[in-house]
Amino acid sequence: MASLVWCFYTDVLNWDRVPLNFDDFLILADIRSDFKHRAVKIALLAAICWTLRTTRNNMVFREKLIYSPLMLPFQIISFLLQWSPLHRLEEKSDLEKLVKRLKEGGGEELA
Protein backbone atom coordinates (compact mmCIF):
# COMPACT_ATOMS: atom_id res chain seq x y z
CA MET A 1 0.00 0.00 0.00
CA ALA A 2 2.81 2.38 0.84
CA SER A 3 4.34 1.83 -2.60
CA LEU A 4 1.03 2.68 -4.25
CA VAL A 5 0.64 5.88 -2.22
CA TRP A 6 4.19 7.04 -2.89
CA CYS A 7 3.90 6.29 -6.61
CA PHE A 8 0.63 8.22 -6.76
CA TYR A 9 2.17 11.29 -5.11
CA THR A 10 5.34 11.01 -7.17
CA ASP A 11 3.20 11.17 -10.33
CA VAL A 12 0.90 13.93 -9.11
CA LEU A 13 3.76 16.15 -7.94
CA ASN A 14 5.91 15.44 -11.05
CA TRP A 15 8.83 14.05 -9.09
CA ASP A 16 11.38 11.92 -10.90
CA ARG A 17 11.54 9.28 -8.15
CA VAL A 18 9.97 8.11 -4.93
CA PRO A 19 11.67 9.67 -1.88
CA LEU A 20 13.85 7.25 0.09
CA ASN A 21 13.90 9.10 3.42
CA PHE A 22 13.04 12.38 5.11
CA ASP A 23 15.96 14.28 3.62
CA ASP A 24 15.22 12.97 0.15
CA PHE A 25 11.56 14.01 0.54
CA LEU A 26 12.61 17.56 1.45
CA ILE A 27 15.06 17.71 -1.46
CA LEU A 28 12.38 16.59 -3.92
CA ALA A 29 9.82 18.93 -2.38
CA ASP A 30 12.23 21.88 -2.57
CA ILE A 31 13.53 21.23 -6.08
CA ARG A 32 10.52 19.76 -7.85
CA SER A 33 7.56 21.68 -6.44
CA ASP A 34 6.23 25.19 -6.66
CA PHE A 35 5.17 25.35 -3.01
CA LYS A 36 7.14 28.04 -1.21
CA HIS A 37 6.36 27.23 2.40
CA ARG A 38 8.17 24.40 4.12
CA ALA A 39 5.27 23.87 6.55
CA VAL A 40 3.04 22.78 3.65
CA LYS A 41 5.62 20.23 2.52
CA ILE A 42 5.98 18.91 6.07
CA ALA A 43 2.18 18.72 6.37
CA LEU A 44 2.04 16.58 3.22
CA LEU A 45 4.69 14.23 4.58
CA ALA A 46 2.91 14.05 7.95
CA ALA A 47 -0.44 13.31 6.31
CA ILE A 48 1.06 10.54 4.17
CA CYS A 49 2.89 8.96 7.10
CA TRP A 50 -0.07 9.25 9.45
CA THR A 51 -2.43 7.68 6.91
CA LEU A 52 -0.05 4.78 6.26
CA ARG A 53 0.44 4.23 9.99
CA THR A 54 -3.24 4.28 10.90
CA THR A 55 -4.12 2.04 7.95
CA ARG A 56 -1.46 -0.46 8.97
CA ASN A 57 -2.53 -0.37 12.62
CA ASN A 58 -6.16 -0.91 11.65
CA MET A 59 -5.19 -3.89 9.53
CA VAL A 60 -2.97 -5.45 12.21
CA PHE A 61 -4.80 -4.70 15.44
CA ARG A 62 -8.43 -4.35 14.35
CA GLU A 63 -8.37 -6.73 11.39
CA LYS A 64 -9.94 -3.96 9.34
CA LEU A 65 -9.16 -4.08 5.63
CA ILE A 66 -9.63 -1.25 3.17
CA TYR A 67 -11.78 -1.97 0.14
CA SER A 68 -10.11 0.36 -2.30
CA PRO A 69 -6.60 1.82 -2.48
CA LEU A 70 -8.24 5.14 -3.45
CA MET A 71 -9.24 5.53 0.16
CA LEU A 72 -5.65 6.36 1.10
CA PRO A 73 -5.22 9.50 -1.06
CA PHE A 74 -8.68 10.59 0.07
CA GLN A 75 -7.66 10.23 3.73
CA ILE A 76 -4.45 12.16 3.09
CA ILE A 77 -6.39 15.02 1.50
CA SER A 78 -8.82 14.88 4.40
CA PHE A 79 -6.00 15.23 6.92
CA LEU A 80 -4.54 18.17 5.02
CA LEU A 81 -7.91 19.92 5.07
CA GLN A 82 -8.45 19.15 8.75
CA TRP A 83 -5.03 20.55 9.62
CA SER A 84 -5.40 23.68 7.47
CA PRO A 85 -6.52 25.90 10.42
CA LEU A 86 -3.11 25.21 12.00
CA HIS A 87 -1.29 26.95 9.13
CA ARG A 88 -0.49 30.64 8.93
CA LEU A 89 -2.46 32.77 6.49
CA GLU A 90 0.41 33.07 4.03
CA GLU A 91 0.76 29.26 3.93
CA LYS A 92 -2.91 28.58 3.27
CA SER A 93 -2.76 29.51 -0.41
CA ASP A 94 0.02 26.95 -0.93
CA LEU A 95 -1.97 24.36 1.00
CA GLU A 96 -5.10 25.01 -1.06
CA LYS A 97 -3.05 24.74 -4.26
CA LEU A 98 -1.58 21.43 -3.06
CA VAL A 99 -5.00 19.99 -2.16
CA LYS A 100 -6.40 21.07 -5.52
CA ARG A 101 -3.51 19.41 -7.36
CA LEU A 102 -3.92 16.21 -5.34
CA LYS A 103 -7.64 16.09 -6.09
CA GLU A 104 -7.04 16.66 -9.80
CA GLY A 105 -4.29 14.04 -9.83
CA GLY A 106 -6.67 11.47 -8.38
CA GLY A 107 -9.15 11.97 -11.18
CA GLU A 108 -12.90 12.17 -10.73
CA GLU A 109 -12.84 9.85 -7.73
CA LEU A 110 -11.15 12.46 -5.51
CA ALA A 111 -12.56 15.66 -7.00
Side-chain angles (χ1 to χ4, degrees):
M1 296 235 194
S3 297
L4 174 81
V5 169
W6 282 113
C7 287
F8 174 78
Y9 285 102
T10 299
D11 289 343
V12 169
L13 297 172
N14 296 320
W15 292 350
D16 58 351
R17 66 185 186 282
V18 174
L20 302 174
N21 55 36
F22 179 74
D23 291 332
D24 197 31
F25 175 86
L26 290 179
I27 289 169
L28 284 172
D30 285 340
I31 294 173
R32 303 277 308 186
S33 73
D34 54 350
F35 306 112
K36 299 178 286 190
H37 297 92
R38 190 175 188 121
V40 173
K41 300 167 189 174
I42 298 294
L44 174 62
L45 178 62
I48 292 170
C49 291
W50 189 252
T51 298
L52 292 173
R53 178 189 169 112
T54 55
T55 301
R56 179 205 163 271
N57 286 349
N58 284 336
M59 290 173 67
V60 171
F61 299 116
R62 296 182 181 171
E63 298 178 9
K64 185 177 175 184
L65 299 176
I66 62 168
Y67 296 106
S68 170
L70 281 177
M71 289 178 63
L72 299 177
F74 177 76
Q75 286 178 329
I76 292 166
I77 291 169
S78 176
F79 280 132
L80 289 172
L81 292 173
Q82 289 174 17
W83 298 341
S84 67
L86 302 173
H87 288 276
R88 295 186 203 133
L89 289 175
E90 60 269 11
E91 297 167 348
K92 288 193 179 190
S93 65
D94 265 3
L95 185 64
E96 290 169 359
K97 190 177 4 174
L98 173 63
V99 168
K100 182 179 178 187
R101 183 183 291 176
L102 296 177
K103 285 181 178 180
E104 290 171 354
E108 295 177 8
E109 294 88 3
L110 297 179

